[in-house]
Amino acid sequence: MLKDVQFPERPEEEELKIRLKAAREKLQAQQLRLKEHKTPVLVLVEGWGTAGKGSLIGELITNIDPRFFKVASMTVPTEEEKRKPFLCRYFEKIPEAGKFAFLDSGWMDEITEGVLNGELNEKQYQMKIDSIRRFERQLTDNGYLVMKFFCHISKKEQKKRIEELCSDIDTSWRISDKDKWQNKHYEKCLSVFDRYMEDTNSPSDPWYLLDCKSKRWAELQALETLTQGIEIAMQNARLAVPLLQNTFPLKKLPKLSEIPLNKELTDEKYKEELDRLQAQLKELHNRLYRKKVPVVIVYEGWDAAGKGGNIKRITQALDPRGFEVHPIASPEPHEKARHYLWRFWTRLPKTGHIAIFDRSWYGRVMVERLEGFCSENDWKRAYNEMNEFEKELHDFGTVIIKFWVQIDKDTQLARFEERQNTPGKQWKITEEDWRNREKWDAYEVAVNEMLQKTSTTYAPWHILESVDKKYARIKALKIVIEELEKVLK
Amino acid sequence: MLKDVQFPERPEEEELKIRLKAAREKLQAQQLRLKEHKTPVLVLVEGWGTAGKGSLIGELITNIDPRFFKVASMTVPTEEEKRKPFLCRYFEKIPEAGKFAFLDSGWMDEITEGVLNGELNEKQYQMKIDSIRRFERQLTDNGYLVMKFFCHISKKEQKKRIEELCSDIDTSWRISDKDKWQNKHYEKCLSVFDRYMEDTNSPSDPWYLLDCKSKRWAELQALETLTQGIEIAMQNARLAVPLLQNTFPLKKLPKLSEIPLNKELTDEKYKEELDRLQAQLKELHNRLYRKKVPVVIVYEGWDAAGKGGNIKRITQALDPRGFEVHPIASPEPHEKARHYLWRFWTRLPKTGHIAIFDRSWYGRVMVERLEGFCSENDWKRAYNEMNEFEKELHDFGTVIIKFWVQIDKDTQLARFEERQNTPGKQWKITEEDWRNREKWDAYEVAVNEMLQKTSTTYAPWHILESVDKKYARIKALKIVIEELEKVLK
């Protein structure tokens, strides 16, 4: 792409002026329509050092109301950021519906830099490319407009700029060693950039190269391309996109109706096991911390199945500085305004930590599906999106443990009634619980589909038979211990 | 993709039966809605020899009214087909709006076969992949649903089938040498197939792998995937898609208003040049034929600019067996029902032949743009689509010569009036010509944009200053001769 790009000629001064004015006005006018249309716009600005990425963003945003955009300048990941999957810090930055986010270099720079300094070998590079393709496709599929710009200048031009900036003490600090290195190894960088852009140039997320030899000409190209992209995005209402075939290895699970629920433990046996297993988990948690393994534990299950009590038996064994429980209710407005996985990407555990999700992203294919909170295409696409999400976590080294806490309909009824009739427990039962109960059969269909489609070998579901809560708790502890031991050995 | 595919388990007989029935009924019901929605569906069925591609298509079509589908069994290209760009025979087969086309193997098979038998080297393979990506993307962008299936069986299964079929004289003819070769070199084929599928697996045109170990199970997978794809395609009304940045090398052209139109020739000089040049062209046409070079000449220009007379001066010098003139009017219903380039793909010259287009695909960005016959996204996308189209022809070795026949507004008026006032010429002037004339300025904007955006180095526009028709004719002859000499030397 970059190697054989041929830019159109810079227009004459008079034409440039007229077109710049028109393009600026267009962007100004678009921002309100965009807000109405609820399209989020992510503008990624990559490019050569000294090509003028920062000042280009500066020019673009003068046309947008400050309430409608955010700018993030992404540098090398900090030590803290390195403790989460690499896409995490980019996912955090995605804009809300109807707003802009500008990134001053981003995931491209991180990858090409990794290749150039030898940190990424071919296989790792390929994995990152896969991750990025999925990431960008997920954004587009979920209604994001992703505009990827690359600011291009020639080797000669870059050299000239570096020399000019370096010659003045007031500007020389703006030149980094990286810029100098880049210019010295311009051809090598060019071919790494070129390959990256070829590898990530998809029809729905194409690259746009900007000729940055002249500042206002660069601004014009960016403005015209950006406004054109916005115009097109707004022509489309809700978009249904192809459902991809599953390519992740799956583990077969039984249907809910096939699971025997007669398993139980005596009080005595329970007590004994609980003490032993909690002691064991406590010890593992320390090793986990030292070995810097991140852990995600997901609890899903019927209302009154006993998730809370089960989670408590796990956390009792953990050092409070090393875990967090995230109770997941319906999303807040600022969460709803973003990709549905955003509120989970931003709650990921860092290395050595455990995050326990009391309900999770799987709401997409259960409550959101059944209550019509998202389109059919949305929830059907979500199985793959969630497998991709967990693949990202897994590739980073995260241990993922997913529990489905299972009871039968009669047990639920008995527990509901007990809650209703026990003054101290009445807060635990709401009208909504009763309404959901009425939809038990529809939920069962959805849960079965979810268990079949998202039980990957790297993040399988485990069934906790919870008619006897004691049995379920011991089983959960055993599974957590087993999974942790696998990575700690 | 293929290497690590994990298929879901074949359902139990009872479930299979129920789901098959449901899926068949769904497809039956969809065909009429599809017709209303005007979505064309192209189903590509690729896969291993003996995997059951043919019988799968046979099963699928039993659910569709014969008026609504066509099946094409693509084998190795014939000698005749090899005389046109390789995508030509596939483009010809694309379905009409609201109808199905099933291809029993296609462009994948052609490419992987080429790799396996050593006919395609790495560079050629990459070029084909680029062509195919563009082809598939163009179809999808233009509202086609493209479903790509790959029928998969294991080496062992294939071996078993070959042996079984060979053992019976009634079926042994169904086993080709290719099937046997494939089984012997299964791993090698697998890795070529796998790479091809990775290379062409785009989010908008994804691959779907079918586990073809059992026939009815394969049918179910295909039916469920196909009906799901149709459902999604119908959820979208007209789709606006991103406009890609130009990546083709462009040649700068002057604006129409900058072209001096005072050029002329004396009658004497004209006569002399005409005779000389036509003799030269005649001789070149023979060499062209022997060297098997295909040629495309496009004429666009204002009404009454003198296209017809100009074309005649070219064809006078040509052997009638070696050229064809295609006058292009508004598309017929069966042409309108397909990708707008279809009627040009099906009119391409074979090697050694000349096709002259009196008006052409450029109508998309002139009359269709100005009269609103296509959406804004459609015509804006078309510049790139046409550059891609011509790139295909160029890569095949086609000489492409494009003329814009230019006159000024006054000259047109004079010629219109002369036509109106000359009994033998009145048929040449219509109400529409006068209407178009009123839109001269809008057309001029569109023509300028077209000339700037589609004058690639491999298919540049040439301006024929035609206020003096004699001058324009001689210039056209000279350009044709010059371009042909380039390839014939």
Side-chain angles (χ1 to χ4, degrees), chain A residues 113-271:
Chain A
E113 187 65 14
V115 173
L116 285 166
N117 65 24
E119 272 175 27
L120 288 179
N121 63 28
E122 178 62 23
K123 203 186 149 199
Q124 291 164 324
Y125 170 79
Q126 282 299 349
M127 282 180 72
K128 296 279 185 203
I129 291 290
D130 285 346
S131 298
I132 286 167
R133 281 185 186 157
R134 290 181 195 132
F135 170 51
E136 294 180 354
R137 200 207 65 238
Q138 275 207 21
L139 289 177
T140 312
D141 282 358
N142 283 281
Y144 278 71
L145 171 62
V146 180
M147 299 294 290
K148 304 187 293 188
F149 290 113
F150 184 89
C151 296
H152 188 52
I153 47 173
S154 67
K155 182 175 185 177
K156 212 174 120 194
E157 177 69 22
Q158 190 185 35
K159 187 154 187 256
K160 201 184 93 192
R161 292 187 187 186
I162 292 175
E163 280 167 0
E164 273 173 20
L165 289 163
C166 279
S167 69
D168 184 340
I169 195 154
D170 288 336
T171 53
S172 62
W173 60 272
R174 287 171 53 190
I175 296 300
S176 65
D177 287 345
K178 184 175 161 185
D179 297 333
K180 288 180 194 162
W181 190 92
Q182 229 181 32
N183 192 250
K184 218 170 172 176
H185 304 85
Y186 188 92
E187 289 75 17
K188 192 179 171 185
C189 294
L190 184 77
S191 93
V192 172
F193 294 167
D194 188 62
R195 182 179 174 203
Y196 175 89
M197 283 193 268
E198 289 281 0
D199 286 342
T200 56
N201 194 36
S202 102
S204 43
D205 296 286
W207 275 102
Y208 295 100
L209 309 182
L210 304 177
D211 173 9
C212 286
K213 203 176 166 190
S214 126
K215 235 171 136 168
R216 287 163 65 236
W217 171 221
E219 183 194 345
L220 178 61
Q221 295 166 73
L223 272 171
E224 287 185 343
T225 312
L226 177 59
T227 50
Q228 168 193 286
I230 292 172
E231 212 52 52
I232 289 168
M234 288 195 297
Q235 280 167 36
N236 293 317
R238 211 157 178 76
L239 196 64
V241 294
L243 299 180
L244 304 184
Q245 186 174 32
N246 172 56
T247 53
F248 300 106
L250 294 176
K251 238 177 121 164
K252 192 158 168 64
L253 278 202
K255 286 196 182 155
L256 291 184
S257 59
E258 295 164 8
I259 299 168
L261 289 173
N262 54 355
K263 292 171 180 163
E264 49 181 42
L265 282 184
T266 62
D267 285 359
E268 197 178 329
K269 179 85 178 152
Y270 170 65
K271 186 82 191 61

Side-chain angles (χ1 to χ4, degrees), chain A residues 6 9 137 203-204 206-209 228 232 235-236 238-245 249-250 252 255 377, chain B residues 6-7 9 137 203-204 206-209 228 232 235-236 238-245 249-250 252 377:
Chain A
Q6 294 231 358
E9 242 177 283
R137 200 207 65 238
S204 43
W207 275 102
Y208 295 100
L209 309 182
Q228 168 193 286
I232 289 168
Q235 280 167 36
N236 293 317
R238 211 157 178 76
L239 196 64
V241 294
L243 299 180
L244 304 184
Q245 186 174 32
L250 294 176
K252 192 158 168 64
K255 286 196 182 155
N377 192 249
Chain B
Q6 296 232 356
F7 291 112
E9 241 177 285
R137 199 206 66 238
S204 43
W207 275 102
Y208 294 101
L209 308 182
Q228 169 193 285
I232 290 168
Q235 280 167 36
N236 292 317
R238 213 157 175 73
L239 197 63
V241 294
L243 299 180
L244 304 184
Q245 186 175 31
L250 294 176
K252 192 158 170 63
N377 193 249

Side-chain angles (χ1 to χ4, degrees), chain B residues 53-118:
Chain B
K53 298 185 286 288
S55 62
L56 176 65
I57 293 177
E59 290 301 334
L60 294 177
I61 56 175
T62 55
N63 305 297
I64 310 174
D65 185 291
R67 287 166 301 173
F68 296 164
F69 72 85
K70 285 211 165 65
V71 178
S73 193
M74 308 301 285
T75 48
V76 251
T78 62
E79 285 311 309
E80 196 65 14
E81 285 169 337
K82 281 185 187 162
R83 296 183 66 181
K84 294 190 176 178
F86 86 104
L87 284 174
C88 206
R89 63 188 190 125
Y90 303 114
F91 217 107
E92 279 174 10
K93 296 279 186 290
I94 63 172
E96 287 188 65
K99 297 191 178 178
F100 291 83
F102 292 87
L103 259 64
D104 186 350
S105 85
W107 51 96
M108 168 176 174
D109 189 50
E110 185 171 339
I111 303 310
T112 51
E113 187 65 12
V115 173
L116 286 165
N117 65 24

Side-chain angles (χ1 to χ4, degrees), chain A residues 13-165:
Chain A
E13 193 53 33
E14 189 55 27
E15 186 188 335
L16 189 75
K17 229 167 130 176
I18 296 168
R19 279 167 64 185
L20 258 180
K21 187 166 176 283
R24 285 173 185 152
E25 281 167 4
K26 188 161 185 189
L27 183 56
Q28 285 159 26
Q30 279 178 335
Q31 57 181 326
L32 285 171
R33 288 171 53 216
L34 200 64
K35 187 118 184 69
E36 267 168 51
H37 197 270
K38 291 190 193 295
T39 304
V41 183
L42 178 56
V43 184
L44 177 66
V45 182
E46 303 271 7
W48 295 97
T50 77
K53 298 187 285 288
S55 62
L56 176 65
I57 293 177
E59 290 301 334
L60 294 177
I61 57 175
T62 56
N63 305 298
I64 309 172
D65 186 291
R67 287 166 300 175
F68 296 163
F69 73 85
K70 285 213 165 64
V71 177
S73 193
M74 309 299 287
T75 48
V76 251
T78 62
E79 284 311 308
E80 195 64 15
E81 285 170 338
K82 280 183 187 163
R83 296 182 66 180
K84 295 190 176 177
F86 85 104
L87 283 174
C88 205
R89 63 188 190 126
Y90 303 114
F91 217 107
E92 280 174 9
K93 297 278 186 290
I94 62 172
E96 288 188 65
K99 297 191 180 179
F100 292 82
F102 292 87
L103 259 64
D104 185 349
S105 86
W107 50 97
M108 167 176 176
D109 188 51
E110 186 172 337
I111 304 311
T112 52
E113 187 65 14
V115 173
L116 285 166
N117 65 24
E119 272 175 27
L120 288 179
N121 63 28
E122 178 62 23
K123 203 186 149 199
Q124 291 164 324
Y125 170 79
Q126 282 299 349
M127 282 180 72
K128 296 279 185 203
I129 291 290
D130 285 346
S131 298
I132 286 167
R133 281 185 186 157
R134 290 181 195 132
F135 170 51
E136 294 180 354
R137 200 207 65 238
Q138 275 207 21
L139 289 177
T140 312
D141 282 358
N142 283 281
Y144 278 71
L145 171 62
V146 180
M147 299 294 290
K148 304 187 293 188
F149 290 113
F150 184 89
C151 296
H152 188 52
I153 47 173
S154 67
K155 182 175 185 177
K156 212 174 120 194
E157 177 69 22
Q158 190 185 35
K159 187 154 187 256
K160 201 184 93 192
R161 292 187 187 186
I162 292 175
E163 280 167 0
E164 273 173 20
L165 289 163

Side-chain angles (χ1 to χ4, degrees), chain B residues 208-222:
Chain B
Y208 294 101
L209 308 182
L210 304 177
D211 172 9
C212 286
K213 201 174 167 194
S214 128
K215 235 172 135 169
R216 288 164 65 237
W217 171 220
E219 184 195 345
L220 179 62
Q221 295 166 71

